């Protein structure tokens, strides 16, 4: 068995050009490496990385980001490129998953380019399965501008200690018959789901809102400002089944855009399951443009039960 060594904090920057490389043998740029390094310095995110070979001549690498909500994002380089050897990479990935399985995680995910066939084969050989093809979209929050439509007998509630249970119950309700990554439903408790969303960016409870209609929780938006100060991510938007097909998704989305404008942000970004046609139509009608695509892969761990959500 090849010698597996842990990557230190000092060594991480030297391994990132390989870990972030794209198919075709193109190592990541200095800008991409620095941006990613800034991201992993977030105190809420723990990471662990392992290698086979020396730091400067690694033949296999894995980086695991351990996220709030007891999940992980796994990054792997492209096998058979830039000195990475497929056999050693497969062995290291399997060893990493065994180690992560001891961390009390609910699942791990990996995001790769749609045509990254070598990475796809490696992930599947280690037990990952395709979760969903994801489409990333964004739009300028300033132009074109349409005021949010008004809903009769409605009110907005923000996230807080007194509304926590209402948010949790509504999130569970919006997952019913959802077309956005339904495979994640019931993989972890709702408290872990909320913790994961809170870590999506800069958490501001004023940007988490419930829309009540006739006194009933109908839908919600969870917004996460990003580090650049100009971009906000729509971490989640959902409508309860009883209120679907009534135009509330557009109400929620335009509310999100209005909140971004008030904050002085310039862009709103989001990711959507490519299979979720109703959501894609709402985003397209509201001026969102596709920026990139990724395939999301899932590796579920055996974890303690509880009130499961997604």
């Amino acid at each position: 068995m090849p010698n597996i060594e842990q990557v230190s904090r000092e060594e991480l920057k030297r391994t990132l050009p390989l870990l972030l490389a794209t198919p075709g043998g193109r190592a990541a740029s200095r800008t991409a490496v620095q941006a990613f390094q800034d991201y992993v310095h977030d105190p809420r995110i723990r990471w662990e990385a392992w290698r086979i070979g020396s730091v400067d001549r690694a033949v296999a690498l894995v980086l695991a980001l351990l996220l709030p909500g007891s999940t992980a994002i796994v990054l792997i380089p492209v096998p058979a490129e830039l000195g990475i050897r497929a056999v050693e990479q497969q062995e290291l990935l399997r060893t990493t998953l065994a180690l992560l399985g001891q961390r009390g995680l609910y699942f791990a995910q990996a995001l790769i380019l749609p045509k990254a066939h070598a990475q796809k084969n490696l992930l599947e050989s280690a037990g990952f399965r395709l979760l969903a093809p994801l489409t990333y979209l964004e739009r300028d929050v300033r132009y074109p501008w349409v005021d949010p439509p008004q809903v009769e007998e409605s009110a907005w509630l923000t996230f807080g200690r007194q509304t926590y249970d209402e948010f949790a119950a509504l999130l569970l309700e919006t997952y019913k018959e959802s077309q956005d990554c339904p495979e994640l439903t019931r993989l972890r408790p709702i408290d872990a789901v909320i913790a994961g969303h809170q870590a999506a960016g800069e958490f501001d409870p004023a940007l988490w809102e419930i829309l009540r209609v006739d006194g009933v929780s109908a839908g919600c938006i969870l917004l996460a400002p990003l580090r650049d100060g100009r971009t906000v991510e729509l971490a989640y938007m959902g409508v309860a089944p009883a209120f679907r097909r009534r135009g509330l998704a557009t109400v929620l989305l335009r509310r999100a855009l209005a909140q971004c404008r008030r904050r002085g942000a310039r862009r709103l970004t989001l990711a959507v399951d490519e299979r979720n046609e109703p959501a894609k139509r709402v985003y397209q009608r509201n001026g969102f443009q596709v920026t990139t695509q990724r395939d999301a892969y899932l590796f579920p761990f055996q974890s303690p039960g509880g009130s499961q959500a997604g």
Side-chain angles (χ1 to χ4, degrees):
M1 181 175 177
N3 187 36
I4 296 174
E5 297 187 49
Q6 199 151 16
V7 175
S8 69
R9 182 170 293 275
E10 293 72 27
E11 295 170 344
L12 178 63
K13 188 172 183 178
R14 290 154 63 186
T15 64
L16 285 178
L18 274 178
L19 281 165
L20 302 177
T22 55
R26 296 178 59 185
S29 67
R30 289 184 180 180
T31 301
V33 168
Q34 187 59 55
F36 192 87
Q37 193 169 34
D38 291 343
Y39 168 71
V40 298
H41 282 162
D42 186 325
R44 297 170 299 175
I45 297 172
R46 295 180 296 119
W47 63 268
E48 295 183 54
W50 297 267
R51 59 179 167 82
I52 296 175
S54 66
V55 178
D56 297 313
R57 291 194 175 183
V59 297
L61 285 166
V62 176
L63 171 64
L65 304 176
L66 307 177
L67 306 178
S70 299
T71 66
I73 296 289
V74 172
L75 283 80
I76 57 172
V78 181
E81 293 185 7
L82 299 174
I84 298 298
R85 298 206 294 249
V87 173
E88 285 87 346
Q89 185 63 57
Q90 184 180 67
E91 178 66 32
L92 182 58
L93 179 56
R94 288 177 173 170
T95 300
T96 297
L97 292 170
L99 291 170
L100 293 178
Q102 302 170 18
R103 303 289 196 270
L105 303 178
Y106 292 101
F107 56 81
Q109 293 188 77
L111 297 171
I112 63 173
L113 291 167
K115 294 184 179 181
H117 301 299
Q119 287 174 305
K120 168 184 176 294
N121 293 337
L122 179 63
L123 290 169
E124 290 179 346
S125 70
F128 280 84
R129 65 175 186 266
L130 180 64
L131 170 63
L134 300 179
T135 297
Y136 292 78
L137 306 101
E138 71 173 38
R139 66 154 283 179
D140 189 314
V141 303
R142 301 165 298 172
Y143 313 106
W145 179 248
V146 179
D147 288 327
Q150 300 300 311
V151 181
E152 293 185 5
E153 302 299 326
S154 66
W156 294 92
L157 278 73
T158 56
F159 183 84
R161 188 174 301 174
Q162 294 183 333
T163 57
Y164 184 98
D165 290 343
E166 187 169 348
F167 266 88
L170 178 59
L171 285 171
L172 287 170
E173 190 68 14
T174 64
Y175 294 154
K176 293 179 180 178
E177 301 176 14
S178 172
Q179 296 183 43
D180 208 77
C181 299
E183 296 85 353
L184 288 178
T185 302
R186 303 190 65 80
L187 285 186
R188 55 180 173 160
I190 191 61
D191 290 344
V193 174
I194 291 173
H197 284 313
Q198 287 175 328
E202 175 191 329
F203 175 58
D204 181 350
L207 297 178
W208 283 31
E209 294 187 289
I210 284 176
L211 172 63
R212 273 186 184 170
V213 178
D214 295 326
V216 180
S217 297
C220 63
I221 50 173
L222 312 181
L223 295 172
L226 302 186
R227 283 176 171 270
D228 64 7
R230 301 182 300 275
T231 307
V232 174
E233 178 187 350
L234 181 59
Y236 184 76
M237 181 177 79
V239 178
F243 292 90
R244 289 174 186 162
R245 299 177 182 85
R246 293 169 55 174
L248 292 190
T250 296
V251 174
L252 292 167
L253 188 56
R254 291 186 183 168
R255 174 75 172 193
L257 290 166
Q259 290 285 48
C260 292
R261 284 167 62 92
R262 292 191 192 102
R263 192 180 178 88
R266 300 187 63 175
R267 289 183 299 275
L268 179 62
T269 69
L270 59 93
V272 63
D273 188 327
E274 179 63 24
R275 304 167 297 179
N276 191 348
E277 293 295 337
K280 287 164 55 182
R281 287 194 294 269
V282 170
Y283 298 136
Q284 289 164 0
R285 285 198 300 265
N286 283 276
F288 282 80
Q289 302 292 323
V290 175
T291 57
T292 189
Q293 292 181 311
R294 291 289 187 274
D295 284 344
Y297 280 80
L298 177 71
F299 186 96
F301 295 103
Q302 296 295 322
S303 298
S307 176
Q308 304 296 300

